[in-house]
């Protein structure tokens, strides 16, 4: 198993201060290789869902690994271009955006998945058949770790509901739109590979109606283990089932269908660590609070998604086990963990949050006028600062003082 040692993390904390996000490049590589190995022999392309972690050095590293990139905004598209991805390796899976942004993506020459009939119609009227496009469909399947991260169900805002297929085809035909790709993304933290198979089955019922189709995009959402006993999505089984499904359903237009995936969390979650320091211990009749020098301004997942992050006291790894509530230092309830067993905690100890690579720094803010953490990349044994911690001027940067 590829991970950083307590000594390495403590050294980085010493060198760069805390709180600090640390990423281990070789773990990202291991995850990507799991995917490519499992799907060897199949025509599959992986687009890293960059919204999980967009530091430019991470994007460059993922480009070197050979993956493509999936973007959720035009700025992510521009970051991917800045990282050196060619437009052909960039996919923009939009949702709820203005048509101007789609037009901008088209000018940049990247792949586009359109997620509303309204924008599809504008696209058709503007470009006709001249530019291939993908359709982001909502398969009406319930899947994902919890409702907040489920995107494919029948009340979700994401995608064009598949039940509107006749309307979609009407718009496609009226404007002679070149539909090259069909996309679905049912949610995040999908453990059960049958969810993907179900998605494929939904698509098979409509594939014959798109005569110029070249690829099927099954989105992301592969699960990674957060706590002991958790399992990641069985990628080998997924590869086997996807292979079988497509072998049994050749594309009616004769072109072999390439399969796309958009893994975000799977690629970067386990590569990341948030290293914090204990400010205060507070004994109460209910619990002992451990107050660290961070909060949901740095790692929002526990409060936002009820996410579980493993926490270790790397300063006292052999201390006796005790139960604590681990909380942050901002003026909101920001509980990282209730009733968590940790090796005895003392003020000044370093607590490490694991699985902090995906949706960690990326969802951080300056709430309470606190600084965003620094980011550090460990690659080939070298330690690189890849984002400086904020300084006071950053808090005033775009303010217009009257
Ligand atoms: C967020 C997102 C992903 C990645 O989801 P993960 O759970 O991080 O794998 C993939 N595709 C789309 C369209 C997304 O919005």
């Amino acid at each position: 198993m590829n991970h950083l040692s307590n000594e390495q993390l403590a050294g980085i904390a010493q060198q760069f201060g805390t709180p600090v996000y640390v990423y281990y490049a070789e773990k990202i590589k291991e995850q990507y290789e799991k995917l490519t190995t499992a799907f060897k022999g199949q025509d599959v392309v992986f687009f890293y869902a960059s919204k999980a972690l967009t530091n430019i050095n991470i994007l460059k590293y993922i480009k070197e690994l050979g993956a493509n990139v999936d973007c959720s905004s035009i700025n992510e598209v521009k970051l991917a271009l800045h990282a050196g991805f060619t437009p052909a390796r960039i996919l923009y899976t939009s949702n709820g955006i203005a048509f101007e942004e789609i037009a901008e993506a088209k000018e940049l020459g990247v792949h586009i998945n359109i997620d509303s009939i309204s924008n599809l119609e504008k696209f058709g009227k503007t470009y006709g058949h001249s530019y291939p496009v993908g359709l982001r469909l909502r398969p009406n399947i319930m899947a994902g770790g919890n409702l907040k991260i489920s995107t494919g169900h029948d009340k979700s805002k994401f995608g064009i509901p598949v039940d509107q297929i006749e309307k979609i085809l009407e718009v496609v035909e009226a404007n002679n739109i070149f539909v090259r790709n069909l996309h679905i993304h049912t949610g995040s933290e999908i453990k059960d590979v049958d969810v993907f198979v179900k998605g494929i089955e939904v698509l098979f019922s409509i594939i014959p109606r798109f005569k110029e189709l070249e690829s099927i995009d099954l989105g992301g959402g592969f699960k990674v283990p957060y706590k002991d006993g958790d399992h990641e999505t069985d990628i080998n089984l997924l590869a086997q089932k996807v292979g079988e499904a497509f072998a049994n359903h050749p594309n009616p237009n004769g072109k072999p269908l390439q399969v796309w995936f958009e893994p975000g969390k799977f690629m970067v979650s386990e590569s990341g660590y948030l290293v914090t320091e204990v400010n205060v211990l507070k004994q109460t009749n209910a619990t002992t609070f451990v107050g660290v020098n961070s909060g949901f301004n740095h790692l929002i997942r526990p409060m936002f998604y009820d996410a579980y992050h493993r926490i270790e006291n790397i300063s006292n790894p052999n201390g006796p086990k005790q139960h604590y509530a681990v909380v942050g230092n901002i003026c909101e309830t920001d509980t990282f963990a209730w009733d968590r067993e940790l090796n005895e905690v003392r003020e000044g100890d370093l607590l490490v949050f694991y699985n902090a690579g995906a949706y960690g720094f990326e969802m951080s803010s300056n709430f309470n006028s606190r600084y965003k953490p620094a980011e550090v990349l460990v690659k080939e044994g070298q330690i690189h600062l890849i984002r400086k911690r904020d300084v006071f001027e950053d808090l005033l940067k775009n303010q217009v003082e009257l």
Side-chain angles (χ1 to χ4, degrees):
M1 171 96 173
N2 240 337
H3 60 80
L4 295 177
S5 68
N6 290 354
E7 291 69 29
Q8 283 170 299
L9 292 168
I12 289 166
Q14 171 102 44
Q15 189 177 350
F16 299 100
T18 61
V20 59
Y21 273 98
V22 186
Y23 310 113
Y24 185 41
E26 279 74 19
K27 181 63 188 174
I28 300 176
K29 185 170 185 217
E30 179 186 307
Q31 292 300 99
Y32 181 59
E33 284 175 354
K34 271 185 207 169
L35 296 171
T36 51
T37 307
F39 281 92
K40 209 171 168 156
Q42 296 188 45
D43 190 8
V44 171
V45 179
F46 298 97
F47 293 78
Y48 163 59
S50 65
K51 73 175 187 285
L53 178 60
T54 55
N55 186 290
I56 199 73
N57 302 283
I58 299 291
L59 296 180
K60 285 181 184 173
Y61 183 73
I62 285 174
K63 186 198 69 175
E64 281 165 28
L65 292 179
N68 290 2
V69 66
D70 177 47
C71 303
S72 307
S73 74
I74 196 72
N75 292 337
E76 284 186 6
V77 170
K78 290 175 187 172
L79 282 173
L81 289 167
H82 184 82
F85 287 93
T86 56
R89 288 175 66 188
I90 300 173
L91 169 63
Y92 184 8
T93 300
S94 66
N95 104 80
I97 62 172
F99 181 69
E100 288 69 32
E101 213 171 293
I102 294 179
E104 205 179 342
K106 186 258 169 197
E107 289 312 310
L108 294 172
V110 303
H111 301 287
I112 304 167
N113 287 330
I114 290 184
D115 100 316
S116 67
I117 287 187
S118 158
N119 273 335
L120 183 64
E121 202 156 23
K122 289 177 196 163
F123 194 89
K125 291 211 184 325
T126 313
Y127 305 116
H129 193 268
S130 70
Y131 197 85
V133 77
L135 302 182
R136 177 173 192 169
L137 300 170
R138 193 189 73 187
N140 301 339
I141 296 172
M142 186 66 203
N146 66 54
L147 192 61
K148 280 191 190 163
I149 53 175
S150 298
T151 52
H153 59 83
D154 67 1
K155 293 189 175 56
S156 162
K157 70 165 184 171
F158 294 97
I160 309 172
V162 277
D163 45 279
Q164 294 174 17
I165 183 67
E166 299 308 329
K167 177 69 189 164
I168 294 170
L169 287 165
E170 214 182 284
V171 172
V172 167
E173 273 152 38
N175 299 284
N176 191 21
I177 298 172
F178 180 178
V179 178
R180 194 166 65 183
N181 181 46
L182 295 180
H183 165 281
I184 52 173
H185 171 68
T186 50
S188 208
E189 300 194 1
I190 301 167
K191 195 169 54 195
D192 181 5
V193 301
D194 285 328
V195 168
F196 290 94
V197 176
K198 249 196 238 167
I200 295 170
E201 277 162 10
V202 170
L203 289 175
F204 279 140
S205 63
I206 56 170
I207 283 172
R209 309 194 62 180
F210 294 92
K211 305 292 178 219
E212 297 177 285
L213 209 58
E214 292 173 17
S215 54
I216 293 295
D217 180 349
L218 298 173
F222 304 152
K223 187 175 161 45
V224 296
Y226 278 88
K227 45 179 133 175
D228 289 343
D230 262 7
H231 295 287
E232 68 181 23
T233 305
D234 186 340
I235 301 296
N236 289 319
L237 183 64
L238 177 70
Q240 183 199 324
K241 294 211 170 182
V242 167
E244 283 167 9
F246 283 94
N248 293 332
H249 288 83
N251 190 1
N253 74 14
K255 289 184 189 157
L257 281 173
Q258 192 171 61
V259 177
W260 295 358
F261 285 104
E262 302 162 353
K265 182 176 285 182
F266 187 84
M267 290 278 284
V268 295
S269 176
E270 290 164 284
S271 79
Y273 306 76
L274 173 61
V275 186
T276 68
E277 193 170 326
V278 177
N279 282 341
V280 285
L281 282 173
K282 189 184 283 185
Q283 194 84 47
T284 71
N285 52 7
T287 184
T288 304
F289 288 101
V290 171
V292 297
N293 62 350
S294 185
F296 73 52
N297 50 330
H298 297 156
L299 180 64
I300 202 173
R301 300 189 70 260
M303 289 306 291
F304 198 38
Y305 302 119
D306 287 326
Y308 181 99
H309 283 263
R310 189 161 69 81
I311 305 171
E312 299 283 347
N313 179 2
I314 64 166
S315 301
N316 192 19
N318 300 313
K321 299 270 192 192
Q322 293 183 26
H323 286 254
Y324 299 97
V326 181
V327 298
N329 61 355
I330 56 172
C331 289
E332 279 281 343
T333 300
D334 61 344
T335 310
F336 288 115
W338 265 110
D339 196 29
R340 185 68 67 87
E341 195 177 72
L342 298 172
N343 296 104
E344 185 186 10
V345 178
R346 302 146 316 175
E347 292 182 358
D349 281 355
L350 296 174
L351 295 198
V352 175
F353 293 75
Y354 293 82
N355 276 67
Y359 310 108
F361 181 89
E362 209 56 33
M363 294 176 98
S364 67
S365 75
N366 288 113
F367 185 51
N368 274 201
S369 295
R370 292 204 174 274
Y371 302 149
K372 289 193 190 183
E375 292 180 288
V376 166
L377 177 65
V378 181
K379 188 171 97 173
E380 292 162 5
Q382 301 283 105
I383 296 170
H384 308 274
L385 180 67
I386 56 170
R387 184 191 297 265
K388 296 183 212 164
R389 185 182 314 287
D390 283 349
V391 292
F392 186 71
E393 288 67 41
D394 293 321
L395 300 177
L396 284 168
K397 186 166 161 238
N398 286 325
Q399 299 197 46
V400 179
E401 272 192 81
L402 303 179

